[in-house]
Amino acid sequence: MALISKSGKIIDKEVVNLDKDKSSKYILSVISDYISRYENKAEAVGVGIPGIIKNNKIVYTCNLSLEDPYFIHKIHTKLPVYLVNDAVCATIAEYKIIDNSKYDNYSLVTIGTGIGSGIIFNKMVYEGKNGYAGEVGHMIIKKGGLKCNCGRTGCFEKYASVSRLLEITKLNSLGDLFNRLEKSPRLAEIFNNYLDDLADGLANIIMINDLDMLVIGGSLAWFGDNFYYILRAKIAERLFNRTSNEVKIKFAKLGNDAGLIGAGLIAYEFEQ
Protein backbone atom coordinates (compact mmCIF):
# COMPACT_ATOMS: atom_id res chain seq x y z
CA MET A 1 0.00 0.00 0.00
CA ALA A 2 1.25 3.48 -0.77
CA LEU A 3 0.47 7.16 -1.06
CA ILE A 4 1.33 8.21 -4.63
CA SER A 5 1.78 11.67 -6.11
CA LYS A 6 0.27 12.66 -9.46
CA SER A 7 3.71 12.27 -11.04
CA GLY A 8 4.05 8.69 -9.76
CA LYS A 9 6.34 9.40 -6.82
CA ILE A 10 5.93 7.22 -3.73
CA ILE A 11 5.33 9.47 -0.71
CA ASP A 12 4.68 6.69 1.79
CA LYS A 13 4.60 2.89 1.58
CA GLU A 14 3.60 0.03 3.85
CA VAL A 15 4.08 -3.67 3.14
CA VAL A 16 1.54 -6.18 4.51
CA ASN A 17 2.20 -9.93 4.61
CA LEU A 18 -0.82 -11.94 3.44
CA ASP A 19 0.80 -15.36 3.75
CA LYS A 20 -1.07 -16.19 6.97
CA ASP A 21 -4.39 -14.54 6.17
CA LYS A 22 -5.69 -13.94 2.63
CA SER A 23 -9.32 -13.58 3.69
CA SER A 24 -11.35 -10.70 2.27
CA LYS A 25 -12.12 -9.55 5.83
CA TYR A 26 -8.43 -9.09 6.65
CA ILE A 27 -7.61 -7.50 3.30
CA LEU A 28 -10.46 -5.02 3.73
CA SER A 29 -9.35 -4.15 7.24
CA VAL A 30 -5.73 -3.34 6.29
CA ILE A 31 -6.80 -1.33 3.24
CA SER A 32 -9.38 0.66 5.22
CA ASP A 33 -6.92 1.30 8.04
CA TYR A 34 -4.26 2.60 5.66
CA ILE A 35 -6.70 4.85 3.80
CA SER A 36 -7.96 6.34 7.08
CA ARG A 37 -4.46 7.62 7.84
CA TYR A 38 -4.13 9.52 4.55
CA GLU A 39 -7.72 10.26 3.56
CA ASN A 40 -7.23 14.03 3.94
CA LYS A 41 -4.18 13.95 1.60
CA ALA A 42 -5.63 11.81 -1.21
CA GLU A 43 -8.09 12.48 -4.02
CA ALA A 44 -8.96 8.87 -4.86
CA VAL A 45 -8.05 5.25 -4.14
CA GLY A 46 -6.75 2.75 -6.69
CA VAL A 47 -6.80 -0.96 -5.78
CA GLY A 48 -4.96 -3.56 -7.86
CA ILE A 49 -6.56 -7.02 -7.85
CA PRO A 50 -5.11 -10.21 -9.41
CA GLY A 51 -8.13 -11.14 -11.48
CA ILE A 52 -10.70 -9.98 -14.00
CA ILE A 53 -12.19 -6.54 -13.35
CA LYS A 54 -15.03 -4.92 -15.29
CA ASN A 55 -16.99 -1.76 -14.49
CA ASN A 56 -15.29 -1.49 -11.11
CA LYS A 57 -16.46 -4.97 -10.07
CA ILE A 58 -14.58 -8.22 -9.51
CA VAL A 59 -15.62 -10.68 -12.21
CA TYR A 60 -13.21 -13.46 -11.24
CA THR A 61 -10.11 -14.07 -9.15
CA CYS A 62 -8.53 -17.40 -8.22
CA ASN A 63 -5.45 -16.49 -6.18
CA LEU A 64 -7.16 -14.41 -3.48
CA SER A 65 -10.44 -15.06 -1.64
CA LEU A 66 -12.23 -12.00 -3.03
CA GLU A 67 -15.40 -13.49 -4.46
CA ASP A 68 -17.62 -10.48 -3.64
CA PRO A 69 -18.01 -8.47 -6.88
CA TYR A 70 -18.89 -5.38 -4.82
CA PHE A 71 -15.69 -5.56 -2.79
CA ILE A 72 -15.01 -1.83 -3.08
CA HIS A 73 -18.26 -0.89 -1.32
CA LYS A 74 -16.92 -2.49 1.86
CA ILE A 75 -13.82 -0.30 1.94
CA HIS A 76 -14.41 2.32 4.62
CA THR A 77 -13.72 5.65 2.94
CA LYS A 78 -15.47 8.69 1.50
CA LEU A 79 -12.99 8.81 -1.37
CA PRO A 80 -13.83 7.34 -4.78
CA VAL A 81 -12.33 3.84 -5.13
CA TYR A 82 -11.28 2.25 -8.42
CA LEU A 83 -10.54 -1.45 -8.93
CA VAL A 84 -8.01 -2.37 -11.60
CA ASN A 85 -6.26 -5.59 -12.55
CA ASP A 86 -2.88 -5.61 -10.79
CA ALA A 87 -0.92 -6.42 -13.96
CA VAL A 88 -2.61 -3.50 -15.73
CA CYS A 89 -1.48 -1.27 -12.84
CA ALA A 90 2.11 -2.41 -13.29
CA THR A 91 1.86 -1.97 -17.06
CA ILE A 92 0.66 1.63 -16.75
CA ALA A 93 3.50 2.47 -14.36
CA GLU A 94 6.25 1.03 -16.57
CA TYR A 95 4.72 2.45 -19.73
CA LYS A 96 4.37 5.99 -18.41
CA ILE A 97 7.20 6.35 -15.90
CA ILE A 98 9.95 4.27 -17.53
CA ASP A 99 9.04 4.29 -21.23
CA ASN A 100 7.36 7.73 -21.42
CA SER A 101 4.43 6.25 -23.40
CA LYS A 102 6.65 6.03 -26.50
CA TYR A 103 5.39 2.68 -27.83
CA ASP A 104 2.10 2.23 -29.66
CA ASN A 105 1.58 -1.49 -28.92
CA TYR A 106 3.03 -2.68 -25.64
CA SER A 107 2.52 -5.33 -23.00
CA LEU A 108 3.93 -6.10 -19.57
CA VAL A 109 3.76 -9.70 -18.36
CA THR A 110 4.11 -10.20 -14.61
CA ILE A 111 5.81 -13.46 -13.61
CA GLY A 112 5.31 -14.14 -9.91
CA THR A 113 2.87 -16.20 -7.84
CA GLY A 114 0.83 -16.41 -11.03
CA ILE A 115 1.11 -14.79 -14.45
CA GLY A 116 -0.85 -11.79 -15.65
CA SER A 117 -0.44 -9.01 -18.18
CA GLY A 118 -1.59 -5.60 -19.23
CA ILE A 119 -1.98 -4.69 -22.90
CA ILE A 120 -1.71 -1.30 -24.58
CA PHE A 121 -2.94 -0.86 -28.16
CA ASN A 122 -2.52 2.48 -29.92
CA LYS A 123 -1.29 3.98 -26.62
CA MET A 124 -4.53 3.03 -24.83
CA VAL A 125 -5.12 0.28 -22.25
CA TYR A 126 -7.05 -2.57 -23.82
CA GLU A 127 -9.28 -4.59 -21.47
CA GLY A 128 -11.63 -6.27 -23.95
CA LYS A 129 -15.41 -6.35 -23.89
CA ASN A 130 -15.66 -8.27 -20.60
CA GLY A 131 -12.33 -7.42 -18.96
CA TYR A 132 -10.63 -10.69 -19.93
CA ALA A 133 -7.89 -9.18 -22.10
CA GLY A 134 -4.46 -9.84 -20.66
CA GLU A 135 -5.38 -13.00 -18.72
CA VAL A 136 -2.46 -14.78 -20.32
CA GLY A 137 -1.69 -16.87 -17.22
CA HIS A 138 -4.66 -19.04 -18.16
CA MET A 139 -3.67 -19.51 -21.78
CA ILE A 140 -3.30 -23.26 -22.37
CA ILE A 141 0.25 -24.25 -23.36
CA LYS A 142 0.02 -27.99 -22.62
CA LYS A 143 -3.12 -29.95 -23.49
CA GLY A 144 -4.15 -32.18 -20.60
CA GLY A 145 -1.43 -30.68 -18.42
CA LEU A 146 -1.27 -29.74 -14.75
CA LYS A 147 -4.46 -28.71 -12.94
CA CYS A 148 -4.64 -24.95 -12.37
CA ASN A 149 -6.36 -23.05 -9.54
CA CYS A 150 -8.80 -21.76 -12.16
CA GLY A 151 -10.06 -25.32 -12.72
CA ARG A 152 -8.56 -25.83 -16.17
CA THR A 153 -5.46 -27.85 -17.08
CA GLY A 154 -2.24 -26.88 -18.81
CA CYS A 155 -2.36 -23.14 -18.03
CA PHE A 156 0.72 -21.02 -18.75
CA GLU A 157 1.11 -20.03 -15.08
CA LYS A 158 1.19 -23.67 -13.95
CA TYR A 159 4.42 -24.05 -15.93
CA ALA A 160 6.06 -20.64 -16.04
CA SER A 161 5.19 -18.83 -12.78
CA VAL A 162 7.80 -18.30 -10.09
CA SER A 163 5.65 -20.48 -7.81
CA ARG A 164 6.04 -23.39 -10.21
CA LEU A 165 9.79 -22.81 -10.62
CA LEU A 166 10.36 -22.92 -6.85
CA GLU A 167 8.12 -25.96 -6.54
CA ILE A 168 10.05 -28.05 -9.07
CA THR A 169 13.48 -26.93 -7.82
CA LYS A 170 12.42 -27.44 -4.18
CA LEU A 171 14.03 -24.13 -3.22
CA ASN A 172 12.72 -21.29 -1.09
CA SER A 173 13.64 -18.33 -3.27
CA LEU A 174 14.90 -17.26 -6.68
CA GLY A 175 18.03 -16.00 -4.96
CA ASP A 176 18.78 -19.55 -3.82
CA LEU A 177 18.25 -20.82 -7.35
CA PHE A 178 20.57 -18.39 -9.09
CA ASN A 179 23.24 -18.78 -6.42
CA ARG A 180 23.32 -22.54 -7.06
CA LEU A 181 22.56 -22.69 -10.77
CA GLU A 182 26.11 -22.79 -12.18
CA LYS A 183 27.21 -25.53 -9.80
CA SER A 184 24.19 -27.81 -10.18
CA PRO A 185 23.54 -29.66 -13.48
CA ARG A 186 20.17 -30.77 -12.09
CA LEU A 187 19.04 -27.20 -11.44
CA ALA A 188 20.47 -26.03 -14.77
CA GLU A 189 18.40 -28.63 -16.63
CA ILE A 190 15.25 -27.76 -14.70
CA PHE A 191 15.74 -24.05 -15.37
CA ASN A 192 16.39 -24.61 -19.08
CA ASN A 193 13.14 -26.58 -19.36
CA TYR A 194 11.37 -23.84 -17.43
CA LEU A 195 12.66 -21.23 -19.90
CA ASP A 196 11.28 -23.35 -22.75
CA ASP A 197 7.80 -23.17 -21.21
CA LEU A 198 8.19 -19.46 -20.51
CA ALA A 199 9.32 -18.85 -24.10
CA ASP A 200 6.31 -20.78 -25.46
CA GLY A 201 3.89 -18.47 -23.69
CA LEU A 202 5.76 -15.22 -24.35
CA ALA A 203 6.13 -16.05 -28.05
CA ASN A 204 2.38 -16.63 -28.23
CA ILE A 205 1.75 -13.21 -26.67
CA ILE A 206 4.10 -11.49 -29.12
CA MET A 207 2.57 -13.27 -32.13
CA ILE A 208 -1.04 -12.63 -31.12
CA ASN A 209 -0.56 -8.94 -30.30
CA ASP A 210 2.25 -7.97 -32.74
CA LEU A 211 3.91 -5.85 -30.05
CA ASP A 212 6.45 -3.06 -30.31
CA MET A 213 7.77 -4.04 -26.88
CA LEU A 214 7.17 -6.84 -24.39
CA VAL A 215 8.24 -6.12 -20.80
CA ILE A 216 8.73 -8.91 -18.26
CA GLY A 217 7.88 -7.91 -14.71
CA GLY A 218 7.28 -9.58 -11.37
CA SER A 219 9.89 -11.12 -9.11
CA LEU A 220 11.52 -13.03 -12.00
CA ALA A 221 12.57 -9.72 -13.56
CA TRP A 222 14.96 -9.00 -10.66
CA PHE A 223 17.20 -11.79 -11.94
CA GLY A 224 16.77 -11.12 -15.64
CA ASP A 225 20.43 -10.38 -16.32
CA ASN A 226 21.14 -14.07 -15.63
CA PHE A 227 19.12 -15.37 -18.59
CA TYR A 228 18.10 -12.48 -20.88
CA TYR A 229 19.97 -13.62 -23.99
CA ILE A 230 19.01 -17.27 -23.54
CA LEU A 231 15.33 -16.39 -23.20
CA ARG A 232 15.41 -14.00 -26.15
CA ALA A 233 16.97 -16.69 -28.35
CA LYS A 234 14.34 -19.24 -27.29
CA ILE A 235 11.54 -16.77 -28.09
CA ALA A 236 13.08 -16.00 -31.50
CA GLU A 237 13.06 -19.73 -32.35
CA ARG A 238 9.29 -19.71 -31.85
CA LEU A 239 8.54 -16.66 -34.02
CA PHE A 240 8.32 -16.33 -37.80
CA ASN A 241 11.36 -14.80 -39.49
CA ARG A 242 12.77 -13.22 -36.33
CA THR A 243 16.38 -13.19 -35.21
CA SER A 244 17.24 -12.72 -31.55
CA ASN A 245 18.06 -9.06 -32.18
CA GLU A 246 14.58 -8.51 -33.61
CA VAL A 247 12.81 -9.79 -30.50
CA LYS A 248 11.93 -6.66 -28.53
CA ILE A 249 11.78 -7.71 -24.90
CA LYS A 250 13.19 -6.23 -21.71
CA PHE A 251 12.79 -6.48 -17.96
CA ALA A 252 10.74 -4.10 -15.84
CA LYS A 253 12.54 -1.49 -13.74
CA LEU A 254 10.06 -0.54 -11.03
CA GLY A 255 9.98 -3.89 -9.23
CA ASN A 256 7.23 -4.42 -6.64
CA ASP A 257 6.45 -0.71 -6.69
CA ALA A 258 5.05 -0.86 -10.23
CA GLY A 259 1.60 -2.03 -9.17
CA LEU A 260 1.37 0.59 -6.41
CA ILE A 261 2.43 3.42 -8.70
CA GLY A 262 0.12 2.29 -11.50
CA ALA A 263 -2.90 2.01 -9.19
CA GLY A 264 -2.26 5.56 -8.00
CA LEU A 265 -1.83 6.94 -11.53
CA ILE A 266 -5.02 5.24 -12.71
CA ALA A 267 -7.00 6.60 -9.75
CA TYR A 268 -5.81 10.12 -10.58
CA GLU A 269 -6.75 9.64 -14.24
CA PHE A 270 -10.27 8.50 -13.38
CA GLU A 271 -10.74 11.65 -11.30
CA GLN A 272 -9.81 14.03 -14.12
Side-chain angles (χ1 to χ4, degrees):
M1 301 180 291
L3 183 64
I4 307 293
S5 74
K6 291 182 179 180
S7 64
K9 181 181 178 181
I10 295 177
I11 301 168
D12 179 80
K13 184 172 77 169
E14 180 177 323
V15 177
V16 177
N17 190 336
L18 296 180
D19 288 344
K20 293 183 179 179
D21 191 348
K22 294 183 181 179
S23 67
S24 59
K25 181 178 179 180
Y26 179 68
I27 294 171
L28 281 165
S29 71
V30 296
I31 290 174
S32 298
D33 177 67
Y34 188 81
I35 292 171
S36 69
R37 283 181 265 154
Y38 294 102
E39 200 160 22
N40 62 337
K41 297 182 179 180
E43 297 179 18
V45 178
V47 181
I49 299 288
I52 298 166
I53 310 297
K54 186 67 175 178
N55 297 327
N56 226 21
K57 293 189 292 186
I58 299 173
V59 177
Y60 176 77
T61 181
C62 67
N63 290 326
L64 284 177
S65 56
L66 300 175
E67 296 87 2
D68 187 347
Y70 298 99
F71 172 80
I72 62 168
H73 298 303
K74 296 181 180 180
I75 296 174
H76 300 302
T77 181
K78 295 179 181 179
L79 296 172
V81 180
Y82 300 100
L83 287 185
V84 188
N85 173 271
D86 60 344
V88 171
C89 292
T91 302
I92 287 293
E94 288 283 337
Y95 184 65
K96 293 193 171 185
I97 303 298
I98 302 300
D99 289 313
N100 298 311
S101 305
K102 67 182 178 182
Y103 298 105
D104 290 331
N105 301 317
Y106 178 101
S107 182
L108 181 142
V109 179
T110 56
I111 314 290
T113 303
I115 295 178
S117 79
I119 301 172
I120 290 174
F121 286 147
N122 297 321
K123 296 185 180 292
M124 300 288 290
V125 173
Y126 180 72
E127 296 180 310
K129 180 180 179 181
N130 297 301
Y132 285 74
E135 282 296 316
V136 298
H138 301 290
M139 164 179 59
I140 304 299
I141 65 166
K142 292 187 188 291
K143 183 178 179 181
L146 297 170
K147 183 76 175 289
C148 180
N149 291 338
C150 74
R152 304 202 302 170
T153 58
C155 289
F156 184 30
E157 71 176 42
K158 285 303 295 182
Y159 292 88
S161 64
V162 170
S163 299
R164 175 59 179 169
L165 180 56
L166 295 180
E167 178 186 347
I168 58 180
T169 57
K170 297 180 171 61
L171 295 174
N172 295 319
S173 70
L174 289 175
D176 286 344
L177 172 62
F178 288 105
N179 284 335
R180 303 181 189 189
L181 202 55
E182 290 186 2
K183 299 178 181 179
S184 172
R186 181 187 72 86
L187 291 178
E189 181 180 4
I190 290 173
F191 187 63
N192 186 63
N193 291 337
Y194 166 83
L195 288 181
D196 283 333
D197 290 334
L198 180 60
D200 283 342
L202 294 180
N204 287 344
I205 294 166
I206 292 170
M207 289 287 287
I208 291 168
N209 297 301
D210 196 14
L211 299 169
D212 299 323
M213 178 60 70
L214 175 69
V215 182
I216 301 169
S219 54
L220 188 67
W222 303 343
F223 302 90
D225 289 346
N226 294 279
F227 58 90
Y228 172 77
Y229 293 104
I230 297 172
L231 178 61
R232 190 174 69 166
K234 287 179 179 291
I235 292 172
E237 291 172 358
R238 292 157 169 79
L239 300 177
F240 296 139
N241 301 318
R242 301 276 187 97
T243 66
S244 289
N245 290 334
E246 293 173 316
V247 176
K248 302 301 181 184
I249 66 168
K250 65 178 183 174
F251 292 98
K253 300 294 186 184
L254 294 174
N256 286 341
D257 291 337
L260 295 172
I261 294 169
L265 292 175
I266 289 168
Y268 278 123
E269 285 187 4
F270 276 125
E271 283 303 288
Q272 300 309 306

